Amino acid sequence: MDTNTGNIIWVNGRFIHEPEGFITPATHGLHYGTGLFEGIRTHRQVNGGWKIFRLKDHLMRFHDSARQLGLEIPYSPDELAVACEELLDQSGLQDAYLRPIAFTDCHFQHMAKATAEAKVVLMAIPFSSQPRGMCVPVGTAIVSEYRRASANVPFHRAKLTGHYSLISIAASEARSRGCNQALFLDERDRLCEALTDNVFLVVNGQVITPSDSAPILKGITRGTVIDLLARENVHVIERDVSLAEVYNAEEIFTTSTAGGVKSLIALDGQLIGTGAPGAITQLASSLYEDCVGGVIEH
Ligand code: PMP
């Protein structure tokens, strides 16, 4: 192992201390957004210890994103799963966020990638999970002025670095308006998703979420929450969601690996429902917490 003092990372099969100047500024992936990544989390288990939630599903999506970008990941999801577990061990982290990234690291002069083989790096950073049984976290949102392009929908299902320049701009837009979340519409004013979260609404007592024919990332948390609610006989309808429905929703909540289930309590300065997490949001949140914490099975 390298003796530099940086964080331990996994690079193409080796654990190293991140060396200074490790990735050249000429990297194709940096210039042209030819990269893809995942966000994965550990959760404290009710019986003690910590466990990575749906690791294999994240790593399958990692591979799928690469395929859509025409990149090859030279490690199977199983090999990467072993490496993720070992990275946590070597880093001494329990409450952690894992960030696998793959990118084209040929020189930027070659606009067409010189190689299909991606460089793969796994990072693990400390995370501060909120203790179980706390109130549902709340946030306030704007409807972003920026639209999601729907022209090439399947491409959005890939978690590509290039998508995140728009998301980052919209995050700043939200912050400049005193909010921490933004909702994206497509060019036909239909709801897509939030910054790095999927969105659920309660409208006339029904739970709805944009279907994956909209330009959204098909979130792993989204799928888990749909399944968990169905077991309680709350059936989520996946369909187009209009802007009018967004403004008139009784409840809105978001889902993501990093954020879990979060309640939106205000949109563009107007309270949503009573301005507090509603009954369905609370149900989704507690089911999700129980699931990631090993109280109930996925
Ligand atoms: N949409 C976007 C754009 C995201 O970056 C994320 C976070 N990965 C999500 C939705 C939620 O996906 P997941 O539940 O798999 O974290």
Side-chain angles (χ1 to χ4, degrees), residues 37-39 58 61 148 159 164 167 193-198 216-222 255-258:
F37 65 94
E38 268 304 318
H58 279 280
R61 187 170 68 183
R148 294 291 290 260
K159 200 164 160 56
Y164 286 80
I167 293 173
E193 60 183 344
L195 292 169
T196 56
D197 305 73
N198 294 111
I216 63 169
L217 184 77
K218 206 171 168 191
I220 287 172
T221 320
R222 172 187 182 275
T255 61
S256 67
T257 298

